[in-house]
Amino acid sequence: MRSSLRRSVASITALAMLAGCSTQVGRIGPDDGRDACRAFVVQLDSTGDFYGEDILRGAAIGAGTGAIAGGLLAAATGRRGSDILAGAAIGAVAGGVIGGTAGYIQARQRQAANQGALVQAVGGDLANENRQLAATQLAFNQLVDCRVNTANRVRADVRGGRMSRDQGLALLSYQRDLMRRDVALARTINEKIGTRGGEFDTAIETLAPGTKGQVQARRSAAPQPTSARVSAPIRIRPDGGAAQVGQLAPNERVTVRPAEGNFAQVETASGVVGYVPASAVGVRGLGSPTAAVGGRGADGEFRQLAATNIARRDNFSESVQNADRLAQGQGFELAGA
């Protein structure tokens, strides 16, 4: 009976893993040899493998426990064969729901000898997650920059007479289609990051209550109308080296809210959304994402790791939204920035 149950649980686990698998070509399409940004697409997709392989860590812990419990319950009531498999499947579903956000921290609590060891273990996991998030963000940044810069070059070539209008329209349409596919890929990765984030949020709230609220409160300011003080390039993200999506004119009316670093997010009357130096619109940037988080010693270090994790997840989600807005709006129009 026990060996039958183990085989049943293994079958459930294998099926769940296979259901989430897909080939890289299926996710990003075949290489047609025309996409100058293809290497960045591959890199982004490759960073997403990390979240897919380990994305249900907490839920898997709960699901595994639930499957065993469900199967044992079926066996205990005298059932055999398929009834045990059905019981294990029901238990796995229930266990996945329970373990989805709490399974990870509960598993770490069982492994840790004391509170200090628990904080150290979760802190190590956060540090690793933060490195992966940074790699994913970099890959997406490079991909979006490549798309936007390609579109900007096409527009410049049309304006300069080096390319016909029809050729320009065709190339921009091609880039827009690719960008929409890029955004779909990034959304899939972001969903996986969010699922893992739920696990980490539960752990963070357990070990450092209030950290997430402190980080997100800094970003919650409502956009305010103002006038630009000086001319400034509008960039796709708060980075002086990011691709340009527009140009802010002196005295131009915009809505603005503070952003990370020394930047502000602006939206123009024509609908262009991007980032300019905060001083260009008379506001202060948010600085470091961990600036609002206090604490000393091990507690302070853990809160810094936690705040960085929360901010990086939020930043990636925001960058996906910005890229989607660009792909759906003026980012690939011939008359764009």
Side-chain angles (χ1 to χ4, degrees):
M1 180 185 72
R2 289 177 181 270
S3 61
S4 175
L5 176 58
R6 283 196 295 269
R7 286 195 299 271
S8 298
V9 173
S11 298
I12 294 167
T13 304
L15 287 171
M17 292 177 65
L18 287 172
C21 294
S22 61
T23 65
Q24 186 174 69
V25 171
R27 292 189 300 268
I28 67 176
D31 185 2
D32 63 4
R34 299 169 55 202
D35 184 7
C37 306
R38 178 74 180 187
F40 300 126
V41 180
V42 173
Q43 181 61 30
L44 175 63
D45 181 72
S46 297
T47 70
D49 289 343
F50 171 80
Y51 312 104
E53 290 172 357
D54 205 25
I55 187 62
L56 296 179
R57 174 171 50 193
I61 293 168
T65 304
I68 293 170
L72 289 175
L73 179 61
T77 55
R79 299 175 186 174
R80 294 292 184 270
S82 61
D83 288 338
I84 293 177
L85 178 59
I90 294 169
V93 172
V97 172
I98 295 170
T101 60
Y104 163 68
I105 185 60
Q106 289 174 354
R108 278 301 193 190
Q109 286 169 332
R110 287 193 295 269
Q111 295 165 357
N114 52 52
Q115 184 72 3
L118 176 62
V119 170
Q120 185 175 14
V122 177
D125 292 338
L126 282 170
N128 184 48
E129 190 83 0
N130 291 348
R131 286 190 292 270
Q132 296 294 335
L133 288 169
T136 300
Q137 186 70 69
L138 176 61
F140 191 54
N141 289 349
Q142 291 174 326
L143 175 56
V144 172
D145 281 354
C146 184
R147 294 277 181 240
V148 174
N149 288 333
T150 298
N152 288 340
R153 285 194 296 271
V154 169
R155 283 191 285 262
D157 285 345
V158 172
R159 286 195 299 267
R162 297 180 294 275
M163 182 182 296
S164 72
R165 178 180 176 82
D166 287 345
Q167 287 175 316
L169 288 171
L171 286 175
L172 288 174
S173 177
Y174 174 67
Q175 287 298 320
R176 179 190 289 111
D177 289 343
L178 292 177
M179 181 72 158
R180 288 173 176 169
R181 190 184 66 191
D182 300 339
V183 169
L185 172 63
R187 273 208 204 99
T188 299
I189 294 173
N190 191 47
E191 288 173 1
K192 295 177 180 180
I193 290 172
T195 302
R196 292 168 68 94
E199 300 174 8
F200 279 117
D201 284 344
T202 301
I204 291 167
E205 186 60 25
T206 300
L207 300 175
T211 300
K212 184 170 185 177
Q214 289 177 321
V215 174
Q216 295 188 328
R218 300 170 65 249
R219 307 172 68 116
S220 61
Q224 299 294 325
T226 189
S227 296
R229 294 183 172 184
V230 296
S231 176
I234 303 174
R235 302 193 182 277
I236 185 62
R237 62 180 183 278
D239 177 350
Q244 184 174 344
V245 296
Q247 182 69 35
L248 189 65
N251 300 315
E252 182 176 356
R253 295 292 294 175
V254 294
T255 57
V256 59
R257 68 179 180 88
E260 298 292 343
N262 295 315
F263 283 84
Q265 186 187 68
V266 297
E267 180 171 0
T268 68
S270 62
V272 174
V273 178
Y275 300 85
V276 299
S279 58
V281 286
V283 302
R284 293 184 61 183
L286 295 177
S288 166
T290 63
V293 178
R296 296 181 179 180
D299 177 70
E301 292 176 6
F302 181 84
R303 286 180 178 272
Q304 293 282 310
L305 283 169
T308 299
N309 179 262
I310 294 164
R312 286 184 179 176
R313 283 188 272 131
D314 288 346
N315 288 343
F316 186 71
S317 181
E318 185 173 90
S319 68
V320 174
Q321 293 174 11
N322 291 340
D324 185 35
R325 185 185 299 112
L326 199 64
Q328 303 302 330
Q330 301 174 337
F332 297 89
E333 298 294 333
L334 195 56

